[in-house]
């Protein structure tokens, strides 16, 4: 058996050189005579490793000094609740733009905490497009606008950052962080679970403009107060040390491979290959997202008959193509083609899809 191409939506494929280095260092990390998992987060070796990961991420994303970078636990879902608590008081309003499942989830987590409004939604069309910016109903005086630049399940992506004036823009970038350059200054907060483009699960990255923290006027338990994590270099309590270390290796891999600019070119190429094969299949495969909103990271697609789903998945697996089953909310297939998926993997998928269509069309 050999390693396959893994199209899982997350936890997702990691760059192979990173996995090799983790294996290499598993028993003895640096001069610690123990693994990275077994040493104190307060020890100098881990403090240095953590700081280096933050420096590399700041360099990769050109994060200005006015922003704190946090490496936390709890995943993006926990942050969807912690952010409303930390950005505004209970009487404040915040706007949510819904373009898929994860935006809805973020809204549900905000509702108990402040006045959360739906400023725009593309739910009526089954989340196959993005609401036109001119139709957004922003609330005057809202504390922030939340949106999901890439919806992992519905495969819908903003290819531009929406303009919301001076209101802080809060973006859940779980499934497209570092897939292309992003102008951090356009955002109040960027947050994302690591398990798609950055590393293993167990880690969520938060990039937050420092002046937005600590103004909520709430009486929060200290552990929910993000400012406490910011003041303590994300070590207010024990961080997810193994995931942080591996994310640091992924940052090194990204730097060695041309960073976000090179990822953008490669991701565009992979997306073009896959959508090209779907659109060129004479209707055998179908992607229902409006072409200008199609995600470069998550590509849902359907076969002409759901009865073909099982044989497709079984044969794909035998051909070394894993994780293609669509999310249960949509059915069908989904290929997630994050940074760590090489062009060769997408070529292998496209070849398999062409062959399967010829045999079953
Ligand atoms: N937001 C987006 C865009 C996601 O893709 C996911 C996970 N699939 C989440 C939030 C939830 O992340 P977590 O499981 O880390 O809480």
């Amino acid at each position: 058996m050999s390693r396959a191409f893994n199209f899982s939506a997350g936890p997702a494929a990691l760059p192979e050189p990173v996995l090799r280095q983790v294996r290499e260092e598993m028993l003895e990390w640096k001069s610690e005579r123990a693994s990275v998992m077994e040493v104190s987060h307060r020890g100098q070796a881990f403090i240095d490793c953590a700081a280096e990961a933050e420096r590399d991420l700041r360099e990769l994303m050109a994060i200005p000094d006015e922003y704190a970078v946090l490496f936390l636990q709890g995943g993006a879902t926990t942050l969807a609740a912690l952010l409303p608590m930390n950005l505004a008081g209970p009487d404040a309003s915040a706007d949510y733009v819904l373009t898929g499942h994860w935006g809805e989830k973020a809204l549900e987590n905000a509702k108990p905490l402040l006045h959360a409004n739906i400023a725009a939604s593309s739910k009526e069309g089954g989340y196959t497009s993005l609401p036109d910016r001119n139709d957004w109903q922003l609330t005057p005086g809202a504390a922030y606008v939340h949106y999901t630049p890439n919806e992992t399940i519905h495969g819908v992506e903003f290819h531009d950052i929406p303009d919301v004036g001076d209101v802080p823009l809060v973006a859940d970038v779980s499934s497209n962080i570092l897939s292309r350059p992003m102008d951090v200054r356009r955002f109040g907060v960027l947050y994302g679970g690591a398990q798609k483009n950055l590393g293993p699960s167990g880690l969520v990255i938060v990039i937050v403009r420092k002046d937005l923290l600590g103004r909520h006027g709430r009486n929060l338990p200290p552990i929910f107060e993000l400012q406490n994590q910011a003041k303590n270099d994300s070590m207010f309590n024990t961080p997810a040390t193994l995931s942080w270390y591996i994310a640091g290796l992924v940052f090194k891999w990204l730097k060695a491979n041309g960073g976000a600019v090179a990822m953008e070119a490669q991701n565009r190429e992979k997306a073009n290959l896959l959508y090209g094969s779907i659109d060129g299949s004479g209707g055998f495969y179908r992607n229902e997202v409006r072409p200008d909103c199609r995600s470069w990271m998550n590509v849902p697609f359907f076969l002409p008959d759901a009865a073909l789903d099982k044989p497709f998945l079984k044969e794909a697996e035998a051909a070394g193509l894993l994780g293609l089953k669509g999310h249960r909310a949509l059915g069908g297939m989904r290929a997630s083609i994050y940074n760590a998926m090489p062009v060769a993997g997408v070529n292998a998928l496209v070849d398999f899809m062409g062959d399967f269509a010829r045999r079953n069309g």
Side-chain angles (χ1 to χ4, degrees):
M1 300 289 270
S2 57
R3 258 179 81 75
F5 290 119
N6 176 10
F7 296 89
S8 168
L14 285 164
E16 199 167 307
V18 167
L19 293 174
R20 286 184 193 285
Q21 186 170 347
V22 172
R23 180 171 66 184
E24 191 75 14
E25 298 178 338
M26 186 54 80
L27 297 188
E28 291 176 53
W29 177 61
K30 297 189 170 172
S31 53
E32 294 296 291
R33 303 172 72 196
S35 84
V36 65
M37 286 177 280
E38 299 168 299
V39 298
S40 171
H41 59 296
R42 310 273 179 216
Q44 199 57 47
F46 189 78
I47 288 175
D48 291 349
C49 165
E52 192 168 344
E54 178 177 334
R55 269 199 310 278
D56 285 338
L57 180 61
R58 282 184 180 276
E59 187 183 325
L60 282 162
M61 294 185 68
I63 301 172
D65 289 344
E66 308 91 88
Y67 289 74
V69 179
L70 311 179
F71 290 74
L72 306 178
Q73 301 193 38
T77 308
T78 304
L79 264 294
L82 284 180
L83 286 169
M85 274 181 226
N86 277 272
L87 296 176
D91 297 327
S93 295
D95 284 337
Y96 281 73
V97 175
L98 306 187
T99 56
H101 175 91
W102 294 109
E104 283 187 11
K105 278 268 144 92
L107 172 70
E108 291 310 312
N109 276 296
K111 273 183 181 168
L113 297 164
L114 40 61
H115 299 285
N117 309 307
I118 300 176
S121 169
S122 51
K123 186 170 191 160
E124 217 164 83
Y127 292 131
T128 53
S129 66
L130 299 170
D132 191 326
R133 172 67 191 85
N134 295 321
D135 299 332
W136 295 15
Q137 309 264 322
L138 297 179
T139 310
Y144 61 86
V145 178
H146 181 285
Y147 82 120
T148 313
N150 183 68
E151 278 285 354
T152 319
I153 294 174
H154 290 86
V156 183
E157 184 167 11
F158 285 80
H159 294 288
D160 295 300
I161 302 168
D163 186 357
V164 293
D166 291 336
V167 185
L169 192 55
V170 177
D172 172 1
V173 288
S174 294
S175 50
N176 69 346
I177 186 169
L178 276 170
S179 64
R180 60 171 84 191
M182 286 178 193
D183 183 358
V184 172
R185 285 187 195 279
R186 300 277 309 274
F187 298 90
V189 184
L190 293 157
Y191 71 103
Q195 65 269 23
K196 298 157 201 302
N197 248 346
L198 301 184
S201 60
L203 179 69
V204 53
I205 307 275
V206 186
I207 300 162
V208 50
R209 227 174 65 206
K210 289 174 187 164
D211 65 293
L212 297 176
L213 293 179
R215 299 194 318 201
H216 51 75
R218 298 175 192 260
N219 186 18
L220 293 181
I223 190 63
F224 291 168
E225 181 72 69
L226 289 180
Q227 205 163 36
N228 286 335
Q229 292 289 11
K231 283 182 184 153
N232 288 278
D233 297 325
S234 305
M235 299 206 200
F236 190 67
N237 65 331
T238 314
T241 52
L242 179 67
S243 297
W244 193 333
Y245 148 81
I246 296 177
L249 298 182
V250 172
F251 300 153
K252 291 278 183 230
W253 175 82
L254 282 167
K255 283 176 65 174
N257 286 279
V261 170
M263 291 303 126
E264 172 169 28
Q266 181 170 301
N267 289 326
R268 189 191 293 270
E269 180 186 352
K270 290 184 296 183
N272 283 341
L273 269 170
L274 189 46
Y275 287 113
S277 116
I278 292 168
D279 293 342
S281 68
F284 188 86
Y285 298 109
R286 225 167 61 249
N287 169 279
E288 295 176 344
V289 177
R290 208 175 71 198
D292 62 317
C293 323
R294 284 173 164 181
S295 167
W296 291 1
M297 297 282 101
N298 310 96
V299 182
F301 62 93
F302 300 91
L303 278 65
D305 180 351
L308 287 172
D309 287 359
K310 260 198 179 147
F312 181 93
L313 288 167
K314 192 159 171 246
E315 290 179 34
E317 208 162 298
L321 308 166
L322 307 184
L324 288 165
K325 191 172 194 302
H327 190 274
R328 60 188 184 283
L330 281 192
M333 304 296 144
R334 173 176 49 170
S336 296
I337 48 176
Y338 301 117
N339 287 344
M341 174 59 63
V343 177
V346 177
N347 274 322
L349 173 61
V350 163
D351 287 348
F352 168 78
M353 286 169 66
D355 182 54
F356 187 88
R358 269 189 295 282
R359 286 184 287 108
N360 293 279

